[in-house]
Amino acid sequence: MDKLRITGGRPLNGEVTISGAKNAALPEICAALLTADPVHLNNVPRLRDVATMRLLLDNMGVQTETHGERGGMSFVAPDSLNPEAPYELVKTMRASVLVLGPLLARFGRAKVSLPGGCAIGSRPVDQHIKGLQAMGAEIVVEHGYMVAQLPQGRSRLKGARIATDMVTVTGTENFLMAAALAEGETVLENAAQEPEIPDLAEMLIGMGAKIEGHGTSRIHIQGVDRLHGCTHQVVADRIEAGTFLCAVAATGGDVVLRHGRADHLDAVIDKLRDAGAEIEVGDGFIRVRASGRLKAQSFRTTEYPGFPTDMQAQFMALNCIATGTSKVTETIFENRFMHVNELVRLGAKIQTDGKVAVIEGIDRLQGATVMATDLRASASLVIAGLVAEGETIVDRIYHLDRGYDQMEAKLRGIGADIERIK
Ligand code: UD1
């Protein structure tokens, strides 16, 4: 199993190119199921989750291809395919549930494994099921699978008003894709506003969908008979950019992020500025400069445009070596502090109580062997390793490979002493 060896204490300087967003690319690959025409995506990040999603579509009978160095991918989903997502693939990636909406909308049936337990919380899919049932789908859960079909005599889902109990990102995406091909109008209340949603909506509009209000909490979709192919550029990964911003804020240095979307990172950038980092934003770039210990910042994770849960662990690593005490409250997932014990192994002073962590900033961390437990926790441990004294080994980095495009190569390019070991 691969590990990362990091020797801490080096400032980061130079330029990094931000890749396409994992959380936009995954639903956009699934959107290719909505048409028999070719769908081309550009700027798809090279990640394990993308490879898994591709495998999932390959397995159904979709023709998939990658081309060029710039993350080009093409998909052709024929009129007849096997609309099933087996447990072996779904268990490694919860986002597999994103095939459910498009399969039902175009083929009228789907069999998708339940995602099962997940390290950061139970993460049920009840809202996905309820929403699609409101659109007329018959869904039963049997033998660990969601088995969905249209009622006898119906060939399309029907538009509905869907008000979810909580804001759900992949839920909103499933409904958007399903509603695009449904009969009549769908209104999504309490819709997620994460930038990946308008990016998916723009792609669907490029395929002929009629959507209004994306990027707000109420989205109107007027269903159409058929969608056609498109070419779409995947939006930049705000979480990758935020991770590099936190890394530079922690180590000190001066780094320009190319293709970074600062307008998608307001909550994180505000906190970094309050901490004392200098951040300059321009058209397609974000420049971050920092030196010495920054000031610790308290925050609560919330839905977009609030502070993203996907940045909580990385910012906590920065708080560990900042001056002062901070309070971090996780409101989205119930078990998202698994990095805390590992940060403590590096010398951090953190106490948790339920969904609150209190971090007392200390002068320096000390290198040690730590274990990655989930995707963003891994990134937090890498940041901690970059500032810790001596050598840090981060074990189980397959979590990191799920969601970061060549992270260690990008970090090496800006001066980090980091290497992958087998
Ligand atoms: C997406 C992101 C993930 C991010 C999360 C929150 C993708 C592929 N993943 O995950 O990186 O951390 O949004 O920003 O885009 N819930 C239910 N029932 C449901 C659906 C959700 O109870 O049917 C709960 C979840 O357990 C969680 C909360 O709602 O507590 C938000 O989850 P959700 O927004 O659905 O997360 P994902 O879409 O899985």
Side-chain angles (χ1 to χ4, degrees):
M1 220 178 280
D2 290 6
K3 302 172 188 192
L4 284 178
R5 177 161 51 210
I6 307 168
T7 305
R10 291 191 175 198
L12 299 175
N13 287 291
E15 275 192 23
V16 173
T17 300
I18 298 303
S19 299
K22 165 178 93 71
N23 287 353
L26 295 176
E28 288 165 1
I29 291 172
C30 295
L33 290 167
L34 292 165
T35 175
D37 294 348
V39 167
H40 305 286
L41 292 176
N42 291 318
N43 202 31
V44 179
R46 277 165 288 181
L47 313 168
R48 228 190 36 189
D49 274 6
V50 165
T52 305
M53 192 60 95
R54 179 182 182 185
L55 209 56
L56 196 61
L57 266 62
D58 275 341
N59 202 57
M60 291 178 192
V62 177
Q63 294 155 32
T64 66
E65 248 177 58
T66 53
H67 31 85
E69 281 299 293
R70 297 227 170 118
M73 278 184 106
S74 305
F75 305 86
V76 178
D79 284 327
S80 159
L81 51 69
N82 172 28
E84 288 196 21
Y87 176 68
E88 290 64 39
L89 292 172
V90 174
K91 72 175 180 197
T92 64
M93 184 180 65
R94 179 185 153 82
S96 314
V97 71
L98 285 165
V99 299
L100 184 61
L103 286 176
L104 256 175
R106 172 142 169 248
F107 301 97
R109 63 193 179 95
K111 184 175 170 191
V112 178
S113 170
L114 286 169
C118 166
I120 65 172
S122 63
R123 304 180 89 176
V125 286
D126 57 314
Q127 301 298 311
H128 297 247
I129 294 178
K130 266 169 69 180
L132 293 168
Q133 282 171 334
M135 298 179 78
E138 294 175 346
I139 307 181
V140 290
V141 174
E142 52 186 30
H143 306 295
Y145 278 80
M146 293 177 275
V147 182
Q149 61 181 19
L150 294 180
Q152 204 111 48
R154 277 202 80 86
S155 59
R156 289 168 72 189
L157 289 167
K158 58 179 178 3
R161 179 176 168 276
I162 301 175
T164 44
D165 296 347
M166 78 283 294
V167 176
T168 155
V169 175
T170 47
T172 303
E173 290 162 349
N174 245 334
F175 304 146
L176 259 181
M177 292 188 278
L181 275 185
E183 214 176 291
E185 189 186 52
T186 298
V187 181
L188 304 181
E189 307 278 4
N190 206 17
Q193 300 173 51
E194 272 66 5
E196 294 76 29
I197 307 258
D199 200 57
L200 170 66
E202 290 302 335
M203 171 179 174
L204 294 171
I205 290 168
M207 295 170 75
K210 295 188 174 152
I211 304 174
E212 280 175 13
H214 42 295
T216 75
S217 62
R218 179 180 289 133
I219 306 180
H220 288 260
I221 305 114
Q222 192 64 49
V224 296
D225 285 352
R226 67 176 295 276
L227 293 169
H228 51 75
C230 73
T231 297
H232 178 78
Q233 168 93 359
V234 179
V235 68
D237 196 318
R238 64 197 165 98
I239 304 301
E240 186 196 20
T243 301
F244 278 98
L245 291 180
C246 283
V248 179
T251 60
D254 181 351
V255 170
V256 172
L257 306 181
R258 293 277 165 217
H259 305 312
R261 286 286 298 264
D263 55 329
H264 292 165
L265 269 170
D266 286 338
V268 175
I269 288 177
D270 284 353
K271 286 287 169 195
L272 286 170
R273 284 186 171 138
D274 291 346
E278 272 180 65
I279 297 185
E280 189 190 326
V281 303
D283 195 14
F285 78 89
I286 311 174
R287 180 178 183 187
V288 52
R289 279 173 288 182
S291 63
R293 287 175 74 191
L294 302 191
K295 292 192 289 285
Q297 299 297 312
S298 296
F299 61 88
R300 301 168 66 81
T301 62
T302 55
E303 293 85 9
Y304 190 84
F307 195 99
T309 175
D310 285 351
M311 281 302 303
Q312 180 253 103
Q314 301 90 311
F315 209 105
M316 189 186 289
L318 171 61
N319 276 346
C320 287
I321 43 115
T323 59
T325 298
S326 53
K327 186 168 127 181
V328 169
T329 310
E330 171 60 51
T331 74
I332 308 289
F333 293 112
E334 74 265 31
N335 188 22
R336 209 172 194 181
F337 281 145
M338 279 176 312
H339 42 290
V340 166
N341 282 341
E342 302 303 305
L343 289 170
V344 167
R345 286 180 52 72
L346 298 171
K349 289 203 170 152
I350 311 174
Q351 301 276 346
T352 56
D353 183 5
K355 54 185 189 175
V356 177
V358 175
I359 304 113
E360 191 188 320
I362 55 170
D363 209 17
R364 61 182 46 153
L365 296 171
Q366 292 160 5
T369 296
V370 288
M371 201 169 74
T373 49
D374 70 59
L375 170 55
R376 306 305 169 183
S378 321
S380 148
L381 297 176
V382 170
I383 294 174
L386 291 172
V387 290
E389 215 171 54
E391 187 176 279
T392 296
I393 305 285
V394 184
D395 201 350
R396 300 205 181 167
I397 54 159
Y398 54 85
H399 291 290
L400 200 70
D401 295 334
R402 277 191 44 216
Y404 285 93
D405 188 355
Q406 307 176 73
M407 186 186 229
E408 80 265 17
K410 289 186 184 184
L411 282 170
R412 242 193 336 268
I414 50 176
D417 187 344
I418 182 169
E419 62 170 338
R420 186 178 285 252
I421 50 177
K422 296 284 173 189

